[in-house]
Amino acid sequence: PGLRLVSIEPAPPNVALLRRNLARAGAAGRVAVVESALGEAAGRAKLAYYPRMPGNSTLHPRAKWEQRVAFQPARRRAMFRSRRYDVRVETLSEVLRAHGGGAPVELLKLDVEGSEGGALRGVADEDWRRIRQVVVEVHGGAARGEVEALLRRRFGRVRYTADEELRRCGLDHGILTAAGGTPPCGESLLQTT
């Protein structure tokens, strides 16, 4: 009952579908939908929207193209055909302040297709203390290393789990989880083993 969800999505077709699905499920009043990308600083950016794989839409299409090895050559052209949208970019701290007040963030889940580092650098120092757990989808060694190092500075426990199926396709892709950070307002965090 007291749960508050904030969904941040920059691609206009995805936002329309999200709003329609929330309305059909009777959940529109419980989820704040923010039509924006996340970044280190506020502004505007060009989003590559892939109609055949909309969850892969990105501000970094060149990096996404490097993942083409996951598709058969005959399908690549169709899968990577994109439309461009000029989208708003906000920092995560701006979104937290606009939609969360000063409340703790029990779980921050990021799947931002190449913008992980920028999204996390967009969290102000004072807002990190509110975030209790993070789950981040990451792509590639250098990007993963940057995100992992950032999370290690903020959290006591950080773990990477590789996606073995994508690894067999030649892709370095997986999930970083982090917990045990600086407790908000001096509270202690519950830890489970």
Side-chain angles (χ1 to χ4, degrees):
L3 180 67
R4 177 154 178 79
L5 297 173
V6 178
S7 179
I8 306 160
E9 172 58 56
N14 291 355
V15 170
L17 183 60
L18 173 62
R19 286 189 170 128
R20 187 171 67 233
N21 287 341
L22 288 170
R24 284 181 182 165
R30 295 190 315 243
V31 179
V33 177
V34 177
E35 189 169 350
S36 182
L38 291 174
E40 185 171 3
R44 308 244 4 131
K46 295 291 183 194
L47 177 79
Y49 171 75
Y50 303 107
R52 293 199 175 190
M53 48 181 196
N56 285 276
S57 300
T58 182
L59 300 178
H60 308 281
R62 285 193 177 132
K64 183 58 66 179
W65 179 244
E66 293 172 8
Q67 298 174 23
R68 69 190 178 280
V69 297
F71 298 98
Q72 295 295 325
R75 295 190 66 209
R76 287 181 192 156
R77 176 168 273 128
M79 297 303 288
F80 283 90
R81 190 169 296 127
S82 68
R83 285 186 259 169
R84 302 294 173 144
Y85 289 98
D86 181 59
V87 299
R88 182 177 63 193
V89 178
E90 294 182 72
T91 68
L92 195 48
S93 279
E94 290 170 323
V95 173
L96 290 175
R97 290 180 193 134
H99 297 280
V105 176
E106 297 299 333
L107 176 64
L108 170 64
K109 181 197 174 284
L110 288 176
D111 181 357
V112 290
E113 301 302 320
S115 295
E116 298 84 10
L120 292 173
R121 286 190 304 275
V123 179
D125 287 338
E126 62 271 16
D127 291 320
W128 275 111
R129 294 183 309 151
R130 299 171 44 200
I131 300 171
R132 297 186 180 202
Q133 298 176 79
V134 179
V135 176
V136 185
E137 179 188 49
V138 290
H139 309 269
R144 182 181 113 207
E146 175 194 9
V147 172
E148 190 168 357
L150 195 154
L151 291 174
R152 287 194 186 285
R153 287 193 299 272
R154 302 289 182 173
F155 293 91
R157 296 183 313 275
V158 177
R159 186 178 78 182
Y160 176 72
T161 304
D163 183 319
E164 294 303 327
E165 185 175 339
L166 289 177
R167 180 179 280 174
R168 287 191 293 276
C169 294
L171 296 176
D172 181 7
H173 179 275
I175 303 292
L176 276 166
T177 57
T182 304
C185 307
E187 300 172 15
S188 61
L189 295 177
L190 294 176
Q191 295 186 12
T192 60
T193 54

